Amino acid sequence: MDKVIMMTLLYDFYGPLLTERQQKFIELYYENDYSLGEIAENYGVSRQAVHDTLKRAENILANYENKLGLIDKFLMQRNKLAEVARLLEDPREPSSQQLARARGILQELLEMDRG
Amino acid sequence: MDKVIMMTLLYDFYGPLLTERQQKFIELYYENDYSLGEIAENYGVSRQAVHDTLKRAENILANYENKLGLIDKFLMQRNKLAEVARLLEDPREPSSQQLARARGILQELLEMDRG
């Protein structure tokens, strides 16, 4: 997966566990496309300090995902949901086989006990 | 929500962030229905120590959910999934209205950006 997409997911799930400054730097760098130099200038710190803060924040986020695996599960569920959506796709009516398959996947998703 | 169910969900999502002992006590108490006294005896500690460890673990888990809200989102998504499953329910074929509603909910779920 693309690093920016992965960081966005990580930040979206676990961002509130970072310090305020870590959150701000991640947002500026990954969501608002600021350069290290620009963030450094805005915050009156060195480019290296921005780099280190970002690296540390990235490690913290990756570490939460390694422990909890919630993004992994989320992406897996999303794939299954997308399959259900495809089975029911407009404009035709689903065949009874497609309907049965969709019901089966939904059942499977409902039986999972976490996100 | 029932406290045991809520603790099970909390533990299921965030349990890996607890210490080994906290995890063990939560499992014995909430999943295996041991009493505080039984856990205390098995571990050679006081009943009060078991109580304190459990309380602390519960607070840690609740704190993660307060910050991240992932269980909340999970339960909301699950409700929506259950609604899709009801709309497609056996043994009748869904009406075109039901199908349209199911598609709408699936679309909504697929557009959410996290678990």
Side-chain angles (χ1 to χ4, degrees), chain B residues 4-103:
Chain B
V4 174
I5 294 177
M6 191 59 205
M7 278 309 302
T8 305
L9 267 173
L10 282 168
Y11 183 66
D12 205 21
F13 271 72
Y14 306 119
L17 301 175
L18 298 176
T19 68
E20 219 171 295
R21 170 158 293 208
Q22 286 167 340
Q23 289 182 41
K24 201 66 208 160
F25 284 13
I26 293 261
E27 284 169 18
L28 291 172
Y29 190 72
Y30 285 102
E31 293 176 6
N32 303 330
D33 202 30
Y34 276 48
S35 69
L36 294 180
E38 286 168 332
I39 301 174
E41 199 173 336
N42 285 354
Y43 280 81
V45 296
S46 69
R47 203 179 160 291
Q48 182 64 40
V50 175
H51 175 268
D52 292 350
T53 299
L54 279 173
K55 268 282 150 281
R56 177 155 167 67
E58 290 169 22
N59 288 338
I60 291 168
L61 294 175
N63 196 33
Y64 279 113
E65 177 58 13
N66 282 343
K67 280 190 177 155
L68 304 182
L70 296 170
I71 296 176
D72 205 49
K73 290 224 164 52
F74 168 73
L75 293 174
M76 204 197 55
Q77 293 198 347
R78 203 187 179 80
N79 283 341
K80 288 181 188 285
L81 266 187
E83 194 181 340
V84 176
R86 268 196 308 278
L87 287 162
L88 304 182
E89 212 165 38
D90 257 342
R92 54 171 175 61
E93 300 289 289
S95 68
S96 53
Q97 272 161 324
Q98 287 173 318
L99 213 47
R101 175 90 187 106
R103 284 171 182 141

Side-chain angles (χ1 to χ4, degrees), chain A residues 36-58:
Chain A
L36 295 181
E38 286 167 333
I39 301 174
E41 197 173 337
N42 285 354
Y43 280 80
V45 297
S46 70
R47 204 179 159 287
Q48 182 64 40
V50 175
H51 175 268
D52 292 349
T53 299
L54 279 173
K55 267 280 150 283
R56 177 154 168 68
E58 290 169 22

Side-chain angles (χ1 to χ4, degrees), chain A residues 12-13 16 67-68 70 74 78 81 84 88-90 92-94 99 103 106 110 112-115, chain B residues 12-13 16 67-68 70 74 78 81 84 88-90 92-94 99 103 106 110 112-115:
Chain A
D12 205 21
F13 271 71
K67 281 191 176 153
L68 304 182
L70 295 171
F74 167 74
R78 205 188 176 79
L81 266 187
V84 176
L88 303 183
E89 211 164 39
D90 257 340
R92 55 170 174 61
E93 300 290 287
L99 214 46
R103 285 171 181 141
L106 285 167
L110 284 167
M112 285 180 178
D113 44 3
R114 64 173 172 139
Chain B
D12 205 21
F13 271 72
K67 280 190 177 155
L68 304 182
L70 296 170
F74 168 73
R78 203 187 179 80
L81 266 187
V84 176
L88 304 182
E89 212 165 38
D90 257 342
R92 54 171 175 61
E93 300 289 289
L99 213 47
R103 284 171 182 141
L106 286 166
L110 284 167
M112 285 180 179
D113 42 4
R114 63 173 172 141

